[in-house]
Amino acid sequence: MSSLVREPATPSVASRLFAVTGTSGRYPPVLSALLLLPLLLLLFFSFLYPVGRMLVGSLFDPDFTLDNYVRMFVEPLYLKVLLRTLWIAFATTLCAFLLGYPVAYAMARAGGRLTLCIAACVLIPLWTSVLVRSYAWIILLQRNGILNNILTETGILEQPLRLIYTEGAVMIAMTHVLMPFMILPIYGALRTIPKELPQAAANLGAGVFAIFFKVTLPLSLPGVFAGTLMTFILALGFYVTPAMVGGPQTMMMATLIGQQTTVLFNWPFAGALATVLLVVTLVLTFIFRRVLATFGGFANV
């Protein structure tokens, strides 16, 4: 009895383009592109297209010109605002690191309900509106605010201090608002450090400070890098808190850009300011990444 032998069916073009190949579940290029298409469209219309329009608008007013960029560096006011923005962002990042690292360390090393309590103290302010938190600092720091009333009623001061509308007030308020962005990445890095490593260092005779600076801190540098970078970039472009707590005397770049667009309607110059701020941010990010990769001992950060 003869048996019929069927030739294997030739896969269609569609099956070859969209079939998952291999045992590792790899997707073909066409299907991968389709899966990434929504994200790419979102990135294009929400970031690349506005940034491109901003750059073109700052260079063509209506003809090609560099007057907007020259104006920023020729007039001392705008250069002073840029330097103040960099200084406040750096100081805020440093304060957030110095205050946030112990909190992240306590979260990583504590157990049970204490960890949940610390996490709640970190996350609940993060869920609160930035406007509300900034207004709370105005209530605390204003001339007739809570802090000045305590200092004058207890006899420590005779006259209220000028706490609001200063660079110090802006740094304090921004540190409070941005501290969760420093704490959470450091906490994630500290959680990945095996507890046996500090114990082994202690068994070998290392002290508390030696264990921290030679074991814990180097191994947590990826989290420190992520938190520092995130905090610094957010501080450079912060708008609400400096505008409310700082006022016109401590104006930062974001406030200046908002003033140029909403008050003066000078969109080309605002685009130039935003472009310069973006370039400075990218350059500082690259430099910080290279420095950390060189001195941190890991080149793939």
Side-chain angles (χ1 to χ4, degrees):
M1 185 176 181
S2 61
S3 59
L4 297 178
V5 180
R6 295 184 179 180
E7 295 182 357
T10 303
S12 61
V13 176
S15 62
R16 290 198 303 268
L17 291 177
F18 297 99
V20 178
T21 60
T23 58
S24 60
R26 296 180 180 177
Y27 293 97
V30 176
L31 185 56
S32 300
L34 290 178
L35 292 175
L36 290 175
L37 184 60
L39 178 61
L40 295 177
L41 291 176
L42 178 63
L43 178 64
F44 176 78
F45 287 106
S46 63
F47 179 73
L48 296 179
Y49 178 73
V51 171
R53 284 290 302 270
M54 175 187 67
L55 179 61
V56 172
S58 64
L59 293 174
F60 294 89
D61 187 26
D63 298 327
F64 179 79
T65 178
L66 295 176
D67 292 342
N68 293 315
Y69 294 91
V70 174
R71 176 187 175 188
M72 179 178 177
F73 292 99
V74 169
E75 299 185 17
L77 173 63
Y78 304 117
L79 188 59
K80 183 179 179 180
V81 172
L82 177 60
L83 296 177
R84 182 190 298 127
T85 302
L86 294 173
W87 156 244
I88 292 179
F90 173 77
T92 300
T93 304
L94 181 62
C95 293
F97 169 72
L98 295 177
L99 297 175
Y101 197 100
V103 177
Y105 186 86
M107 286 178 59
R109 292 294 178 260
R113 295 182 178 178
L114 182 57
T115 300
L116 296 177
C117 181
I118 299 174
C121 293
V122 173
L123 293 176
I124 290 178
L126 185 62
W127 300 335
T128 308
S129 172
V130 178
L131 184 64
V132 174
R133 284 183 283 173
S134 301
Y135 186 74
W137 279 106
I138 294 178
I139 296 176
L140 289 172
L141 299 177
Q142 63 184 346
R143 186 173 181 83
N144 296 323
I146 297 175
L147 185 58
N148 270 323
N149 288 338
I150 293 175
L151 294 176
T152 53
E153 291 178 1
T154 55
I156 299 177
L157 296 175
E158 296 182 359
Q159 297 293 331
L161 294 174
R162 183 177 178 270
L163 301 176
I164 199 69
Y165 305 132
T166 60
E167 288 188 5
V170 174
M171 293 177 189
I172 293 173
M174 288 179 58
T175 301
H176 169 250
V177 173
L178 296 176
M179 193 179 297
F181 298 98
M182 178 69 73
I183 294 175
L184 295 178
I186 297 177
Y187 166 74
L190 290 172
R191 288 281 295 176
T192 61
I193 300 176
K195 297 181 179 180
E196 292 80 7
L197 293 180
Q199 295 175 358
N203 292 334
L204 293 174
V208 177
F209 292 100
I211 293 174
F212 176 77
F213 287 105
K214 293 185 178 181
V215 178
T216 305
L217 182 60
L219 293 177
S220 64
L221 282 181
V224 173
F225 167 75
T228 302
L229 186 62
M230 192 181 306
T231 304
F232 184 75
I233 292 176
L234 291 175
L236 284 177
F238 228 56
Y239 178 79
V240 176
T241 302
M244 294 181 61
V245 181
Q249 295 182 355
T250 57
M251 180 180 294
M252 295 178 63
M253 284 294 292
T255 310
L256 179 61
I257 294 171
Q259 182 189 72
Q260 293 293 324
T261 55
T262 59
V263 178
L264 301 177
F265 300 104
N266 192 349
W267 284 89
F269 185 58
L273 294 173
T275 302
V276 171
L277 182 61
L278 178 61
V279 171
V280 170
T281 303
L282 294 177
V283 171
L284 292 177
T285 301
F286 177 78
I287 293 175
F288 182 75
R289 180 183 182 275
R290 288 292 89 197
V291 170
L292 189 65
T294 302
F295 294 96
F298 48 92
N300 295 323
V301 176

